[in-house]
Amino acid sequence: MRAALKTLIALALGTAALLWFVNLDGAVDIRAGTWAINLNLPLALAALLVLVAALLALVLLYGVARRMPRRMRQRQTERDREEGEGAMTRILVSLAAGRGDAARTEVSRARRLMGDTPQLLLLTAEAARLDGDEQTARMAFEALAERDDCRFLGLRGLLRQAVADEHWDRARTLAAELAAADPDAAWVREERAQLALRTENWREALELAGQTGPRAQLAFAAARQTADPKEATRLEQLAVSADPGFAPAALALAQRLRQEGHPKRAAALLAESFAKSPNPETAEALMQSETDPARRLRLAVEFTRSVVRHPEARLVRARAFLEAGEPERSRQELEAAMAGGGGDRRHFVLMAEADPEDAARWLNEAASAASEPAWRCGHCGTEHAQWKPRCENCGTVGEIAWNAEARTGRAVEAV
Ligand SMILES: [Zn+2]
């Protein structure tokens, strides 16, 4: 009702204004030189209004025409982005399903639609690698590495390729660049550590191993690689302090100390090593400077005191007792080792010497006795004649250990 009333009032006012306008009295006279035009006032005002309206329409049309290409481009870009995102989803699905060729088709489409974005470069590389095209993958990784915002991603991909191709020099260079790009990245540290192990760069492997790695083994392996005697000594000391029972490092350092005129320090070092992990080579190194049987016996008793029941200690003393003319004491030591279950072939063979009357029986038993301890890979179980940092059979590093450790446990429990 109110709306109808308002419309009626508006119509009445409009009609009144129109009548007033048509009945306006006056004229407009326009002259230019000899040319003249005379219009009555309402007509002139109406013509002016039409002119202004036409000008306004022209200005509006010009604005619309100017903005149109940009809008069209925006709409095209949006459509491309939507299609590109769809292609990216399909790339991820193809990669997850292991379909390299399908992933590459979608990658080409997405790159055409969206250009070389970092994500697409990375997906290009991954799809190419999956499809066996390492060349394209490398180009994509290189393009990534050239961009400041994703240099790490590019270098990471290039490093993975270098490691897979066993291009160790290139891998080392890339790892150094990665470490410079992001020094705190745990992945870089782990990758550099693995690389150092693969290339047998023991010094770097030691530096990157942290406190959890086989530090004694790595330090000793690094000591053997260096030509600088001072550095070798430092690394051997590091190995011995990391694991005093690691015989190869103790033996090497003791030899160095002897050569430098410190036999007592060498002997103390070896005795500590034997106490931690009784090893026949350590015992032999301790006894080598002494030739008198009585003194050898005293020495053997002394350095085996802290591990008196260990089969290796009993063997050392049994041999010293025999050399000193005390076969009965020798037999006691050997019988104790055998009774404890820790006796091996060497105990039975020595028993044949200490008990010549029953030698045939002891030698017969020696044939079926446990084999003597050896350097053995803790990973694959392969025996090695000497300690080495890497097991040639399974390739693991720092796993070769003297297998007397397990024997110690059994012997102490049983005796
Ligand atoms: Zn192995």
Side-chain angles (χ1 to χ4, degrees), residues 376-382 384 390-396 399-400:
R376 185 169 290 130
C377 173
H379 185 249
C380 70
T382 301
H384 298 268
R390 180 192 299 282
C391 170
E392 288 144 4
N393 186 53
C394 67
T396 51
E399 286 285 348
I400 296 175

PDB file of all heavy atoms in Angstrom, residues 376-382 384 390-396 399-400, ligand 1:
ATOM      1  N   ARG A 376      85.498 -61.330  14.521  1.00  0.00           N
ATOM      2  CA  ARG A 376      84.289 -61.790  13.831  1.00  0.00           C
ATOM      3  C   ARG A 376      83.351 -60.608  13.592  1.00  0.00           C
ATOM      4  O   ARG A 376      83.225 -59.731  14.453  1.00  0.00           O
ATOM      5  CB  ARG A 376      83.586 -62.853  14.681  1.00  0.00           C
ATOM      6  CG  ARG A 376      82.379 -63.471  13.992  1.00  0.00           C
ATOM      7  CD  ARG A 376      81.872 -64.695  14.730  1.00  0.00           C
ATOM      8  NE  ARG A 376      82.791 -65.810  14.609  1.00  0.00           N
ATOM      9  CZ  ARG A 376      83.243 -66.549  15.617  1.00  0.00           C
ATOM     10  NH1 ARG A 376      82.868 -66.295  16.829  1.00  0.00           N
ATOM     11  NH2 ARG A 376      84.086 -67.536  15.419  1.00  0.00           N
ATOM     12  N   CYS A 377      82.694 -60.641  12.440  1.00  0.00           N
ATOM     13  CA  CYS A 377      81.726 -59.575  12.120  1.00  0.00           C
ATOM     14  C   CYS A 377      80.455 -59.791  12.945  1.00  0.00           C
ATOM     15  O   CYS A 377      79.843 -60.860  12.873  1.00  0.00           O
ATOM     16  CB  CYS A 377      81.401 -59.584  10.629  1.00  0.00           C
ATOM     17  SG  CYS A 377      80.075 -58.443  10.198  1.00  0.00           S
ATOM     18  N   GLY A 378      80.105 -58.783  13.717  1.00  0.00           N
ATOM     19  CA  GLY A 378      78.901 -58.871  14.530  1.00  0.00           C
ATOM     20  C   GLY A 378      77.632 -58.838  13.705  1.00  0.00           C
ATOM     21  O   GLY A 378      76.551 -59.130  14.196  1.00  0.00           O
ATOM     22  N   HIS A 379      77.765 -58.492  12.457  1.00  0.00           N
ATOM     23  CA  HIS A 379      76.586 -58.389  11.590  1.00  0.00           C
ATOM     24  C   HIS A 379      76.325 -59.686  10.840  1.00  0.00           C
ATOM     25  O   HIS A 379      75.224 -60.208  10.857  1.00  0.00           O
ATOM     26  CB  HIS A 379      76.767 -57.228  10.606  1.00  0.00           C
ATOM     27  CG  HIS A 379      75.571 -56.968   9.768  1.00  0.00           C
ATOM     28  ND1 HIS A 379      75.533 -57.221   8.422  1.00  0.00           N
ATOM     29  CD2 HIS A 379      74.342 -56.496  10.099  1.00  0.00           C
ATOM     30  CE1 HIS A 379      74.345 -56.905   7.956  1.00  0.00           C
ATOM     31  NE2 HIS A 379      73.612 -56.461   8.948  1.00  0.00           N
ATOM     32  N   CYS A 380      77.363 -60.211  10.158  1.00  0.00           N
ATOM     33  CA  CYS A 380      77.133 -61.408   9.334  1.00  0.00           C
ATOM     34  C   CYS A 380      77.847 -62.650   9.892  1.00  0.00           C
ATOM     35  O   CYS A 380      77.631 -63.754   9.399  1.00  0.00           O
ATOM     36  CB  CYS A 380      77.554 -61.164   7.892  1.00  0.00           C
ATOM     37  SG  CYS A 380      79.329 -61.030   7.666  1.00  0.00           S
ATOM     38  N   GLY A 381      78.705 -62.459  10.898  1.00  0.00           N
ATOM     39  CA  GLY A 381      79.353 -63.611  11.530  1.00  0.00           C
ATOM     40  C   GLY A 381      80.621 -64.093  10.830  1.00  0.00           C
ATOM     41  O   GLY A 381      81.247 -65.050  11.292  1.00  0.00           O
ATOM     42  N   THR A 382      81.011 -63.418   9.754  1.00  0.00           N
ATOM     43  CA  THR A 382      82.224 -63.853   9.046  1.00  0.00           C
ATOM     44  C   THR A 382      83.467 -63.658   9.920  1.00  0.00           C
ATOM     45  O   THR A 382      83.602 -62.619  10.573  1.00  0.00           O
ATOM     46  CB  THR A 382      82.386 -63.027   7.742  1.00  0.00           C
ATOM     47  OG1 THR A 382      81.242 -63.227   6.940  1.00  0.00           O
ATOM     48  CG2 THR A 382      83.639 -63.434   6.968  1.00  0.00           C
ATOM     49  N   HIS A 384      87.501 -63.032  10.506  1.00  0.00           N
ATOM     50  CA  HIS A 384      88.570 -62.311   9.809  1.00  0.00           C
ATOM     51  C   HIS A 384      89.886 -62.596  10.519  1.00  0.00           C
ATOM     52  O   HIS A 384      89.933 -62.618  11.750  1.00  0.00           O
ATOM     53  CB  HIS A 384      88.285 -60.812   9.821  1.00  0.00           C
ATOM     54  CG  HIS A 384      87.022 -60.442   9.098  1.00  0.00           C
ATOM     55  ND1 HIS A 384      86.996 -60.101   7.768  1.00  0.00           N
ATOM     56  CD2 HIS A 384      85.734 -60.400   9.527  1.00  0.00           C
ATOM     57  CE1 HIS A 384      85.750 -59.843   7.410  1.00  0.00           C
ATOM     58  NE2 HIS A 384      84.957 -60.024   8.456  1.00  0.00           N
ATOM     59  N   ARG A 390      86.068 -52.435   7.948  1.00  0.00           N
ATOM     60  CA  ARG A 390      84.885 -52.843   7.199  1.00  0.00           C
ATOM     61  C   ARG A 390      84.896 -54.343   6.953  1.00  0.00           C
ATOM     62  O   ARG A 390      85.925 -54.925   6.626  1.00  0.00           O
ATOM     63  CB  ARG A 390      84.869 -52.134   5.839  1.00  0.00           C
ATOM     64  CG  ARG A 390      83.666 -52.491   4.974  1.00  0.00           C
ATOM     65  CD  ARG A 390      83.852 -52.004   3.542  1.00  0.00           C
ATOM     66  NE  ARG A 390      83.995 -50.565   3.461  1.00  0.00           N
ATOM     67  CZ  ARG A 390      82.982 -49.713   3.536  1.00  0.00           C
ATOM     68  NH1 ARG A 390      81.755 -50.163   3.663  1.00  0.00           N
ATOM     69  NH2 ARG A 390      83.198 -48.429   3.472  1.00  0.00           N
ATOM     70  N   CYS A 391      83.724 -54.964   7.121  1.00  0.00           N
ATOM     71  CA  CYS A 391      83.606 -56.393   6.805  1.00  0.00           C
ATOM     72  C   CYS A 391      83.443 -56.519   5.291  1.00  0.00           C
ATOM     73  O   CYS A 391      82.518 -55.961   4.719  1.00  0.00           O
ATOM     74  CB  CYS A 391      82.393 -56.989   7.524  1.00  0.00           C
ATOM     75  SG  CYS A 391      82.020 -58.663   6.975  1.00  0.00           S
ATOM     76  N   GLU A 392      84.362 -57.249   4.688  1.00  0.00           N
ATOM     77  CA  GLU A 392      84.304 -57.371   3.217  1.00  0.00           C
ATOM     78  C   GLU A 392      83.102 -58.202   2.782  1.00  0.00           C
ATOM     79  O   GLU A 392      82.640 -58.089   1.656  1.00  0.00           O
ATOM     80  CB  GLU A 392      85.580 -58.037   2.695  1.00  0.00           C
ATOM     81  CG  GLU A 392      86.769 -57.119   2.778  1.00  0.00           C
ATOM     82  CD  GLU A 392      88.038 -57.853   3.127  1.00  0.00           C
ATOM     83  OE1 GLU A 392      87.997 -59.092   3.236  1.00  0.00           O
ATOM     84  OE2 GLU A 392      89.059 -57.177   3.302  1.00  0.00           O
ATOM     85  N   ASN A 393      82.630 -59.033   3.680  1.00  0.00           N
ATOM     86  CA  ASN A 393      81.514 -59.911   3.294  1.00  0.00           C
ATOM     87  C   ASN A 393      80.183 -59.158   3.235  1.00  0.00           C
ATOM     88  O   ASN A 393      79.450 -59.285   2.259  1.00  0.00           O
ATOM     89  CB  ASN A 393      81.417 -61.073   4.276  1.00  0.00           C
ATOM     90  CG  ASN A 393      80.389 -62.082   3.841  1.00  0.00           C
ATOM     91  OD1 ASN A 393      80.441 -62.559   2.714  1.00  0.00           O
ATOM     92  ND2 ASN A 393      79.430 -62.377   4.692  1.00  0.00           N
ATOM     93  N   CYS A 394      79.902 -58.361   4.276  1.00  0.00           N
ATOM     94  CA  CYS A 394      78.583 -57.696   4.298  1.00  0.00           C
ATOM     95  C   CYS A 394      78.692 -56.180   4.140  1.00  0.00           C
ATOM     96  O   CYS A 394      77.675 -55.502   4.007  1.00  0.00           O
ATOM     97  CB  CYS A 394      77.825 -58.041   5.572  1.00  0.00           C
ATOM     98  SG  CYS A 394      78.561 -57.367   7.062  1.00  0.00           S
ATOM     99  N   GLY A 395      79.922 -55.651   4.159  1.00  0.00           N
ATOM    100  CA  GLY A 395      80.115 -54.221   3.905  1.00  0.00           C
ATOM    101  C   GLY A 395      79.863 -53.322   5.102  1.00  0.00           C
ATOM    102  O   GLY A 395      80.019 -52.108   4.991  1.00  0.00           O
ATOM    103  N   THR A 396      79.468 -53.886   6.255  1.00  0.00           N
ATOM    104  CA  THR A 396      79.200 -53.022   7.412  1.00  0.00           C
ATOM    105  C   THR A 396      80.523 -52.536   8.016  1.00  0.00           C
ATOM    106  O   THR A 396      81.550 -53.193   7.910  1.00  0.00           O
ATOM    107  CB  THR A 396      78.386 -53.743   8.499  1.00  0.00           C
ATOM    108  OG1 THR A 396      79.020 -54.975   8.773  1.00  0.00           O
ATOM    109  CG2 THR A 396      76.969 -53.981   8.066  1.00  0.00           C
ATOM    110  N   GLU A 399      81.805 -53.270  12.830  1.00  0.00           N
ATOM    111  CA  GLU A 399      81.110 -54.422  13.410  1.00  0.00           C
ATOM    112  C   GLU A 399      82.069 -55.570  13.746  1.00  0.00           C
ATOM    113  O   GLU A 399      81.694 -56.505  14.435  1.00  0.00           O
ATOM    114  CB  GLU A 399      80.046 -54.942  12.435  1.00  0.00           C
ATOM    115  CG  GLU A 399      78.805 -54.078  12.337  1.00  0.00           C
ATOM    116  CD  GLU A 399      77.885 -54.229  13.538  1.00  0.00           C
ATOM    117  OE1 GLU A 399      78.087 -55.150  14.334  1.00  0.00           O
ATOM    118  OE2 GLU A 399      76.992 -53.379  13.677  1.00  0.00           O
ATOM    119  N   ILE A 400      83.292 -55.509  13.230  1.00  0.00           N
ATOM    120  CA  ILE A 400      84.223 -56.627  13.492  1.00  0.00           C
ATOM    121  C   ILE A 400      84.790 -56.476  14.900  1.00  0.00           C
ATOM    122  O   ILE A 400      85.402 -55.459  15.229  1.00  0.00           O
ATOM    123  CB  ILE A 400      85.343 -56.656  12.426  1.00  0.00           C
ATOM    124  CG1 ILE A 400      84.729 -56.928  11.053  1.00  0.00           C
ATOM    125  CG2 ILE A 400      86.379 -57.718  12.771  1.00  0.00           C
ATOM    126  CD1 ILE A 400      85.707 -56.855   9.903  1.00  0.00           C
TER     127      ILE A 400
HETATM  128 ZN    ZN B   1      79.902 -58.859   7.956  1.00  0.00          ZN
END
